[in-house]
Amino acid sequence: MAILLRLAIILLIIYIFYRGVRYLIDPKRKLDEAYENGQYYFYDDVKNIRKNFFISYKGALFEGEKYLGTTDNTFEVVSIFVFVHDAMKLQGFTKEDFLYLENEILMNYPNASINWKNPIEQLMKD
């Protein structure tokens, strides 16, 4: 009985350690933390086209919808629509900020055309 109790305690300690490590390296947690602190963070599952990516930048949270299409010889992400979750957080953003975000997105998806949704679209056209 004592051996089973010791084994259960050891397994519980291993499980708690495992869950702690998983929590610390969770990219979704890192995104939430960067958003709260107004820092830059790019959260994406590049291998899964169906999942949107998220970018935290200067206190605003952007979401990008990826669309698959064909290039010369392969299927790749060819179109991305980016929108902001709260348009009020865009106060103080400049066109250079959005060009920076475009460059960051193009680093992961070089064959994609990036389309911004309103109100960012109006700023990028001018």
Side-chain angles (χ1 to χ4, degrees), residues 53 64-66 77-82 105 109 112-115:
F53 64 81
E65 298 175 356
K66 305 179 272 189
V77 174
V78 295
S79 180
I80 297 175
F81 289 93
V82 182
I105 294 168
Y109 302 102
S113 66
I114 300 172
N115 301 305

Side-chain angles (χ1 to χ4, degrees), residues 56-123:
S56 169
Y57 185 65
K58 291 187 177 181
L61 185 63
F62 299 90
E63 184 172 351
E65 298 175 356
K66 305 179 272 189
Y67 293 96
L68 189 66
T70 57
T71 59
D72 293 334
N73 296 323
T74 60
F75 285 101
E76 292 188 27
V77 174
V78 295
S79 180
I80 297 175
F81 289 93
V82 182
F83 60 94
V84 67
H85 279 255
D86 184 6
M88 295 298 173
K89 301 271 182 163
L90 294 177
Q91 183 175 355
F93 274 70
T94 63
K95 192 171 185 177
E96 288 76 28
D97 292 324
F98 298 112
L99 293 174
Y100 170 76
L101 291 175
E102 279 186 6
N103 288 333
E104 292 294 316
I105 294 168
L106 289 173
M107 288 173 67
N108 290 315
Y109 302 102
N111 296 320
S113 66
I114 300 172
N115 301 305
W116 296 91
K117 293 190 177 175
N118 279 332
I120 303 168
E121 178 183 29
Q122 298 299 322
L123 176 67

